[in-house]
Amino acid sequence: MIPLQSAKYDVVVVGAGPAGSAAAGACAAAGLRTLCIEEHGTIGYPVQCAGLLSNAAFTECRVSGRAVQNKVSGARVISGKGSRILIDAKKTMAFVVDRGTLDREMAEHAAGAGAEYLLHTAVCGLGINAVTTRGPSGSAEIGYKVLIAADGPRSSVARMLGMERPPVFLAGIQADVPQEIDPRFVEVYPDASPDFFGWAIPAGPDRTRIGLCSRTNVPALFAEFRKMFSPSTVHLVTGTIPLGIMPRTYGHRTLITGDAAGFAKPTSGGGVYTGIRSARHAAAVAIAACEHDRYDDEFLSRYERLWNEDFGNELSLGFRLFGMRERLSPDDMDELVRALDDPGLIRTIEEYGDMDRPSAVVKRLLLNPATLRLLGPLARTGFKALF
């Protein structure tokens, strides 16, 4: 708790998800007085994530295995017309995790490094180098030198600063159902949504996590999709996925990270990897700003350079791929799935596929002569935008 009505920190982080705790932990470990503010009373809840993390994303979390529910080696893609392909790397490619457990462990590590946490507290105003909060104990004004916004797709900080938001927001619904699918593979249903896809994730014995995202009509789409699965529901959540990076991710002594900045991957909707990577870059800039006593926009702009050099091109390519996917009809999608059912193409995907950095496999596929079979459906999507 904050003992005084007015407190001063080097860094205030808003949001205690993976990005927020990664930023808070890095700043605290560097010796900065750091506070992380979380609007919910329990870190990690409500869960608004499919909980499927690539190997790289799980490594970035720097946690133990206690949140892991399953490990998968590949995916089965099933079109609405029944065409299917199986991609199996025959080694662990992703972890299925309990996000509540993972988020809490990351917060524990950050607190162990010296970060303070203030829960069940909302940021309701921004002043001159200070946030106004409202919580169980009333209101408080908390000063900072640098503010890091890790408060998700609806970022109250970005809105209060009047910063332009990401261009696309998808709505999603997900449910855990008492049903078991092959534990080795995630199932992807591209026609469950007209502009994204549906999924079924093996989340442990007798438990499958099903969901989908779309721009519109999500409840009706999900009601139809879930007819393929158990009618019982163990756990139901809804959420929002931002696609497309906001035009500017810094300003007014503030650095915007993770979903708040639109860093969710347009190819999968996942945001843990890019969220944590961006948070570490934000922490590095915040640490340097405090060391040099420089908080102007020119100094903070180096944050944008860092994340751009890291994963900016991947998100840009992903957003173009998302635009192409929106133009694929069910017939196009079925033709695409059948065209991909080629041993050489599947081997390429298995060897070079990367959930976080799709550019490598896209380039390899474009160099493969068998990719000519894809030109029919892709020609109707404006695929030249990839180049």
Side-chain angles (χ1 to χ4, degrees):
M1 295 297 295
I2 304 301
L4 303 174
Q5 278 298 100
S6 180
K8 178 76 174 186
Y9 287 84
D10 296 311
V11 176
V12 168
V13 180
V14 182
S21 286
C27 290
L32 300 184
R33 191 180 182 204
T34 305
L35 174 69
C36 187
I37 302 172
E38 168 58 44
E39 65 177 337
H40 298 106
T42 302
I43 291 174
Y45 291 99
V47 174
Q48 294 177 314
C49 172
L52 182 69
L53 305 187
S54 68
N55 293 345
F58 186 74
T59 299
E60 286 289 343
C61 293
R62 301 178 184 176
V63 294
S64 70
R66 72 185 193 219
V68 176
Q69 298 171 310
N70 189 26
K71 300 175 184 179
V72 297
S73 63
R76 182 176 283 110
V77 182
I78 306 168
S79 79
K81 294 193 171 185
S83 298
R84 58 182 62 204
I85 56 173
L86 178 65
I87 300 162
D88 183 9
K90 296 181 173 60
K91 60 182 180 181
T92 297
M93 296 299 291
F95 294 82
V96 183
V97 302
D98 179 324
R99 269 291 305 275
T101 301
L102 182 139
D103 287 18
R104 287 194 297 277
E105 186 173 351
M106 290 190 69
E108 289 167 5
H109 292 332
E116 299 177 42
Y117 277 76
L118 186 59
L119 305 183
H120 205 208
T121 300
V123 172
C124 54
L126 294 178
I128 299 175
N129 309 334
V131 294
T132 301
T133 64
R134 182 179 299 113
S137 302
S139 299
E141 186 176 84
I142 302 171
Y144 58 82
K145 296 177 181 177
V146 179
L147 181 67
I148 297 178
D151 52 342
R154 297 182 180 88
S155 178
S156 59
V157 171
R159 284 188 282 106
M160 284 186 278
L161 288 173
M163 301 181 78
E164 188 174 342
R165 307 299 293 122
V168 175
F169 288 88
L170 300 180
I173 298 180
Q174 178 175 275
D176 281 15
V177 298
Q179 180 174 334
E180 190 165 334
I181 60 175
D182 192 321
R184 298 171 295 171
F185 308 118
V186 172
E187 294 180 356
V188 179
Y189 297 85
D191 292 322
S193 164
D195 41 23
F196 209 57
F197 59 87
W199 60 85
I201 300 171
D206 300 316
R207 179 71 64 90
T208 298
R209 193 168 294 154
I210 64 171
L212 60 79
C213 287
S214 185
R215 287 185 189 247
T216 59
N217 207 27
V218 172
L221 291 170
F222 185 69
E224 184 63 28
F225 177 59
R226 70 162 302 145
K227 289 178 181 178
M228 295 187 291
F229 303 93
S230 168
S232 300
T233 297
V234 178
H235 181 63
L236 180 70
V237 296
T238 60
T240 303
I241 297 177
L243 300 183
I245 303 164
M246 58 191 295
R248 179 165 164 164
T249 58
Y250 67 93
H252 312 287
R253 292 194 179 221
T254 303
L255 305 171
I256 315 291
T257 68
D259 282 3
F263 289 152
K265 292 171 291 185
T267 48
S268 69
V272 172
Y273 177 77
T274 48
I276 294 177
R277 296 288 299 176
S278 67
R280 298 202 197 286
H281 294 313
V285 172
I287 292 164
C290 291
E291 288 175 348
H292 296 281
D293 200 28
R294 286 279 307 275
Y295 312 105
D296 55 279
D297 285 0
E298 181 182 1
F299 191 89
L300 296 184
S301 68
R302 62 181 63 187
Y303 165 63
E304 202 150 281
R305 174 177 57 80
L306 288 172
W307 67 251
N308 252 312
E309 290 174 351
D310 186 352
F311 55 77
N313 287 338
E314 298 293 341
L315 291 185
S316 179
L317 170 64
F319 197 69
R320 295 197 296 275
L321 289 169
F322 168 73
M324 291 171 57
R325 189 272 167 270
E326 286 192 299
R327 292 188 286 273
L328 285 171
S329 70
D331 287 340
D332 293 332
M333 185 62 73
D334 188 70
E335 185 179 347
L336 186 61
V337 171
R338 286 188 283 108
L340 283 170
D341 191 14
D342 174 273
L345 295 179
I346 289 177
R347 280 196 301 272
T348 298
I349 296 170
E350 290 171 347
E351 184 174 355
Y352 297 100
D354 188 327
M355 291 168 61
D356 303 307
R357 299 181 182 273
S359 62
V361 71
V362 169
K363 290 175 183 177
R364 294 279 178 172
L365 287 172
L366 291 175
L367 291 173
N368 192 316
T371 304
L372 293 174
R373 299 175 61 197
L374 307 180
L375 293 183
L378 290 182
R380 295 185 283 278
T381 70
F383 74 101
K384 292 181 180 179
L386 288 178
F387 302 95

